[in-house]
Amino acid sequence: MTTASTADANASQKNQRRQYYDRIAKDHMTPLWEVLGALVPKQPNSPALPALWRYADLREKVLEAGRLITAEQAERRVLILENPGLAGQSAITQSLYAGLQLILPGEIAPAHRHTQSALRFVMDGEGAYTAVDGERTTMRRGDFIITPSWTFHDHGNLGDQPVVWLDGLDIPVVRFLDAGFAEHAPSASQDAMRPEGDALARYGNNMVPVDFYQEPADPTRVFVYPYARTLESLNQIASGKPDPHFGHKLRYVNPATGASPMPTIGAFTQRLPAGFETRPYQSTDGTVYVCLDGEATVSVGDKEWHLQPDDIFVVPSWQPLKFLAQRDTTLFSFSDRPIQKSLGLWREARL
Ligand code: 1HN
């Protein structure tokens, strides 16, 4: 056959296939062979993009929301941090949602519960509290607070400053599974059933009540991990030799089981000593980071940023990650690692 007739034959075959696809589409069928490579990629190829939010630049815009809508009107006054590769999906990674929540002095965010699990990471201001299933905790910068699935929670600000924290939720996971339920509590503020600090004293001090035995997948009763305690650990271990990929990195656990505090979201704290450069690292759990303290250069895939305190950035699945710390730098991070681990899907590459 001549080249011209081969081209004709190819064009005709393409045309026949296209017509065939159009016909079977009416029966809600579609050919696998056109999409197989995309369905089963050789390695993760997330549509989520590396992205950075500089809180110092965004703070005024967050506070502006406080003049446009009350916490009561909004139910939760939050600016969603939406991944630029996932526009319209209210997601920062394929599995996780993140947002900046503002609560002004005197305001309350009314009590409700939902099947979505949530974490709070306190960033700005003092005087707010979160109540989880009848116990309040005062929110301080760097505190990691959780509201496990189906626990009632409300927030309030008893102080004289705006308070802002980062919310992290497993909203996209629950949406994907069509397993979302929610309800309001009978009253806007939960009555205190236990004094502040009760859960931490009972479950968070290397002891548990004598008759308490927990199922491995149950969330922890410790719902606040105070930054003061995290700092004690980081400061103590920082004199040791840093891991080449992580520096000094710890994962938050349910102290009764050693598992992640919640079954869908894992959280981590990390110290990079001044002058330390990490080896490149990849993992399948797309991860949201907050720079709490210090100064570092981070590269995520083809992006590079100079990190300052309060910067938030996202590392999508399998994007190479590398840090160079100019000063002692403290990072908080969270991801869907516990889901991937429990399904046998989690992978990492230490380069
Ligand atoms: C929620 O309950 C909170 O309780 C924050 O503070 C953000 C985003 C979507 C759905 C529920 C909160 C939320 C949320």
Side-chain angles (χ1 to χ4, degrees), residues 220-250:
T220 177
R221 302 287 182 95
V222 177
F223 67 97
V224 56
Y225 296 76
Y227 186 51
R229 289 194 182 188
T230 301
L231 262 184
E232 268 179 33
S233 292
L234 289 176
N235 290 341
Q236 173 78 29
I237 66 177
S239 57
K241 189 172 178 292
D243 175 275
H245 294 87
F246 307 130
H248 304 283
K249 187 168 183 178
L250 302 169

Side-chain angles (χ1 to χ4, degrees), residues 55-71 73-74 77-79 100-104 107 124 162-164:
Y55 180 70
D57 295 346
L58 300 175
R59 184 173 188 271
E60 276 315 309
K61 289 190 176 121
V62 173
L63 294 179
E64 199 179 334
R67 299 190 287 275
L68 293 172
I69 190 165
T70 66
Q73 287 168 332
R77 191 202 285 111
V78 181
L79 297 185
L100 288 170
Q101 180 156 178
L102 166 69
I103 187 155
L104 295 173
E107 287 189 326
D124 190 11
V163 174
V164 179

Side-chain angles (χ1 to χ4, degrees), residues 75-78 80 97 99 101 109-110 112-114 116 118-120 130 147 153-155 165 167-169 171:
E75 179 149 352
R76 296 294 188 265
R77 191 202 285 111
V78 181
I80 300 171
Y97 155 107
Q101 180 156 178
H112 67 194
R113 64 178 175 179
H114 36 69
Q116 292 83 357
L119 68 80
R120 331 269 163 214
T130 282
T147 57
H153 52 282
D154 56 272
H155 321 297
W165 63 80
D167 286 316
L169 286 91
I171 285 172

Side-chain angles (χ1 to χ4, degrees), residues 303-340:
K303 288 278 202 322
E304 184 173 290
W305 302 299
H306 189 71
L307 293 179
Q308 301 153 10
D310 296 334
D311 285 354
I312 301 164
F313 62 98
V314 58
V315 183
S317 171
W318 216 242
Q319 291 278 0
L321 169 68
K322 209 159 63 92
F323 292 102
L324 169 60
Q326 281 85 37
R327 294 195 291 130
D328 284 357
T329 297
T330 306
L331 303 165
F332 170 80
S333 57
F334 66 95
S335 78
D336 64 8
R337 189 175 304 183
I339 304 180
Q340 296 202 25

Side-chain angles (χ1 to χ4, degrees), residues 102-297:
L102 166 69
I103 187 155
L104 295 173
E107 287 189 326
I108 60 161
H112 67 194
R113 64 178 175 179
H114 36 69
T115 48
Q116 292 83 357
S117 300
L119 68 80
R120 331 269 163 214
F121 186 73
V122 185
M123 296 192 57
D124 190 11
E126 277 177 18
Y129 66 84
T130 282
V132 180
D133 269 352
E135 184 179 328
R136 278 187 185 182
T137 191
T138 303
M139 303 175 92
R140 298 184 180 90
R141 181 172 163 80
D143 288 354
F144 164 52
I145 297 165
I146 62 168
T147 57
S149 180
W150 212 239
T151 53
F152 279 112
H153 52 282
D154 56 272
H155 321 297
N157 187 342
L158 304 171
D160 55 9
Q161 309 164 8
V163 174
V164 179
W165 63 80
L166 179 70
D167 286 316
L169 286 91
D170 57 6
I171 285 172
V173 174
V174 176
R175 177 169 61 196
F176 174 74
L177 297 171
D178 284 332
F181 291 89
E183 65 185 24
H184 291 278
S187 63
S189 287
Q190 298 177 69
D191 293 331
M193 296 193 296
R194 294 175 298 281
E196 176 157 0
D198 189 86
L200 210 49
R202 286 180 201 274
Y203 302 95
N205 205 12
N206 299 322
M207 294 172 280
V208 291
V210 62
D211 55 354
F212 178 76
Y213 293 91
Q214 204 169 26
E215 293 301 318
D218 283 348
T220 177
R221 302 287 182 95
V222 177
F223 67 97
V224 56
Y225 296 76
Y227 186 51
R229 289 194 182 188
T230 301
L231 262 184
E232 268 179 33
S233 292
L234 289 176
N235 290 341
Q236 173 78 29
I237 66 177
S239 57
K241 189 172 178 292
D243 175 275
H245 294 87
F246 307 130
H248 304 283
K249 187 168 183 178
L250 302 169
R251 66 187 164 90
Y252 287 96
V253 295
N254 175 348
T257 63
S260 167
M262 299 187 288
T264 50
I265 313 178
F268 311 87
T269 186
Q270 187 170 5
R271 170 73 56 77
L272 305 172
F276 184 72
E277 181 169 16
T278 63
R279 309 264 318 148
Y281 179 79
Q282 290 169 289
S283 68
T284 51
D285 52 325
T287 305
V288 180
Y289 282 83
V290 183
C291 175
L292 196 57
D293 200 27
E295 184 186 346
T297 307

